[in-house]
Amino acid sequence: MIEVTEKAAAELKTLLEQEGKPELALRIFVAGVACSGVQYGLALDDEVGEDDVTVESNGIKLVMAKDIEKSFSEGSIDYIEDENGKGFLIRNPSAGGCGTCGGCH
């Protein structure tokens, strides 16, 4: 199951309150493919389609296409703050990489 960390959930709840739209879900989508594997994106969404799956983690409603759920089943969404800035971080240990560029981790 996809996990939203407590820190990410708190940030998302604050964001939803600021927007005045606590009913919105967090949509996970495929943003592209790179040598390190599939790259995912996040967006706030109020629509759930026929081919979507909805799950909940730490009080956050997540929506994604069925095919993403299969490939992202062990993923997590975290919120980080460091010297480089702050933001949400998507981790998917099953994404893997192609191994051809030599610099991917």
Side-chain angles (χ1 to χ4, degrees), residues 5-27:
T5 66
E6 289 183 22
K7 189 170 186 176
E11 289 293 328
L12 285 164
K13 288 175 185 174
T14 299
L15 177 64
L16 292 172
E17 287 174 15
Q18 289 174 348
E19 293 290 320
K21 298 179 179 180
E23 74 283 355
L24 292 179
L26 185 65
R27 176 168 293 279

Side-chain angles (χ1 to χ4, degrees), residues 47-79:
E47 294 184 24
V48 177
E50 284 184 29
D51 293 332
D52 286 338
V53 175
T54 303
V55 296
E56 189 170 317
S57 176
N58 273 329
I60 300 297
K61 181 179 173 183
L62 301 169
V63 177
M64 70 205 84
K66 288 178 187 175
D67 58 337
I68 292 176
E69 181 194 28
K70 294 174 187 172
S71 64
F72 199 89
S73 63
E74 297 177 14
S76 66
I77 299 169
D78 198 2
Y79 185 80

